[in-house]
Amino acid sequence: MNSLIVMATLAFISTPAAWFDCGSCTASKVEAMDIVDTAVSAGSFNTLAAALQAAGLVDTLKGSGPFTVFAPTDEAFAKLPKGTVETLLKPENKDRLVSILTYHVTAGAVPAKNVVNVNAVASVNGQRLSVKADTHGVRIGNAEVVKTDIECSNGIIHVIDEVLLPSDMTIVETAAKAGTFKTLIAACQAAGLDKALMGDGPYTVFAPTDKAFAALPEGTVENLLRPENKGALVAILKYHVVAGRVYSDQALQAKQAKTLEGRAVSIRVQNGKPLVEDAGLVALDLDTSNGVIHVIDTVLLPPDAS
C-alpha cells in the first residue's frame, strides 16, 4: 500500500470538525455537540437518528463515550431493499436493529489515520469490521468512507455510503448453510451441544469439515455417535470450542487457546501455514451472530483420546 497516497485520499475526504456542514448550522462550530446532536444537525442522517431512537441507543451515544461511529447517510439506508427500514423500525425487530446499529460503532475515538493502519476493527456488536485502504480510498466492510474525522464532544464520526449488516446466523446455522459440516452438526446434535452453540455465547469454534471427519479411521464417527460413547464425543467436540470471540491474529499472538474441554490447544505458523495443534487452518475469522468459526482440515483429538 502506498501510505502517502492513502493519507492524501483521507485528507481529501476529511471535513474539519470545526466547520462540518450541518445543514441549518453551516459554518457553526460543533465541538460542543455530541455524536447524536452532530448527526441530527447535519440533516443527512435522519434515518440513522430515527433508528437510534427506535433501538433505544440515543442516550448511549449521547453519553461520555468516547465512540467512533461509521455513520450511514439517508442515501445509504435508501439503498437497502424496499421495506427493510420500515421492518427494522418495528418494536418486534428491536434486537436485530440494535445489532445492526452497534455494528457501526467501535469503542474509543479512532481517527482515520489509525483506521487505515489495521485490517479490521472490533464493533460494539462484537463482530469485526474489515478495513481496506488503497489508492482508491478506504472501505469499511462493503461501504466506502466518504468523510472522515468529524469530531464530536464524545467521539468521532466517519461517514459511509452503505449500511453495514452483521451476520444474523448462529454458529450452527452458519455451518449448516455452508453445507460442508454435516458430520460436525450431527455430532453436536448427538452430544447435545447444538443448542449451546445456538445460544448467546460467544464461542470460537475450530470446525472440522466433512472431509476431516472422513479421514478418521473407518468406523470412528459411527462409534462416537453411539449413545454409550456420548461422554467421549462431548470431550472431543469441546476440544474444538473456546469461550469468547478469538480471531486469528489474537490466537496466533497468544500461541494457544484454552478449550471448553479444559485443556489448551497450541496455535502457530509452520512453513507459512497456520496450524491449531496439527490441523491446518484453511479458512479464518468467519463471523457469526454468536461467535467465530475457523475451518480446520483435521479433527482435533484430546491427548488421551483412544
Side-chain angles (χ1 to χ4, degrees):
M1 181 196 307
N2 188 322
S3 58
L4 290 178
I5 296 178
V6 169
M7 294 310 297
T9 302
L10 284 171
F12 176 75
I13 63 177
S14 294
T15 301
W19 299 101
F20 176 45
D21 183 3
C22 56
S24 61
C25 62
T26 299
S28 63
K29 291 193 174 184
V30 299
E31 287 96 280
M33 291 198 293
D34 58 50
I35 289 169
V36 175
D37 289 343
T38 301
V40 170
S41 298
S44 53
F45 301 97
N46 295 324
T47 309
L48 176 61
L52 291 171
Q53 185 70 42
L57 294 175
V58 170
D59 288 343
T60 299
L61 290 181
K62 289 178 73 68
S64 57
F67 304 103
T68 297
V69 177
F70 298 99
T73 61
D74 291 335
E75 290 182 356
F77 276 100
K79 293 179 183 178
L80 293 173
K82 186 177 180 180
T84 300
V85 173
E86 291 78 7
T87 299
L88 286 172
L89 293 178
K90 293 179 179 178
E92 60 266 30
N93 296 321
K94 182 177 178 180
D95 288 347
R96 177 59 176 161
L97 180 60
V98 169
S99 176
I100 291 172
L101 292 175
T102 54
Y103 191 52
H104 292 76
V105 182
T106 186
V110 186
K113 66 179 181 180
N114 291 351
V115 173
V116 298
N117 288 323
V118 296
N119 294 321
V121 292
S123 72
V124 174
N125 164 288
Q127 298 181 43
R128 274 189 171 183
L129 295 165
S130 64
V131 179
K132 182 180 180 180
D134 55 27
T135 56
H136 300 291
V138 181
R139 300 191 73 83
I140 304 295
N142 64 331
E144 182 180 351
V145 180
V146 295
K147 288 184 181 180
T148 64
D149 294 335
I150 300 166
E151 295 185 11
C152 308
S153 62
N154 62 343
I156 295 175
I157 294 174
H158 303 301
V159 183
I160 56 177
D161 67 351
E162 301 275 352
V163 177
L164 305 171
L165 297 175
S167 172
D168 61 352
M169 294 191 297
T170 66
I171 290 168
V172 175
E173 291 168 338
T174 302
K177 184 178 180 181
T180 53
F181 302 98
K182 295 177 182 178
T183 309
L184 176 61
I185 293 173
C188 287
Q189 291 171 339
L193 295 177
D194 54 321
K195 292 183 179 178
L197 293 179
M198 293 183 71
D200 293 336
Y203 302 105
T204 297
V205 176
F206 297 103
T209 61
D210 291 334
K211 287 183 178 180
F213 277 101
L216 291 172
E218 185 176 355
T220 301
V221 173
E222 292 77 8
N223 284 330
L224 284 171
L225 293 178
R226 292 176 180 174
E228 61 268 28
N229 294 324
K230 182 177 179 179
L233 179 60
V234 168
I236 290 172
L237 292 175
K238 284 187 173 181
Y239 196 57
H240 291 77
V241 183
V242 174
R245 290 181 184 269
V246 183
Y247 291 93
S248 57
D249 58 326
Q250 298 168 331
L252 288 168
Q253 184 176 8
K255 298 183 180 180
Q256 65 175 15
K258 185 177 180 180
T259 70
L260 296 188
E261 188 267 346
R263 282 171 284 198
V265 290
S266 65
I267 301 166
R268 67 193 187 281
V269 175
Q270 183 173 303
N271 297 325
K273 182 180 180 180
L275 301 172
V276 51
E277 293 295 322
D278 292 325
L281 287 155
V282 296
L284 303 171
D285 301 331
L286 306 180
D287 254 325
T288 74
S289 63
N290 65 340
V292 183
I293 295 174
H294 304 299
V295 183
I296 56 177
D297 61 6
T298 305
V299 177
L300 303 175
L301 296 175
D304 57 357
S306 59

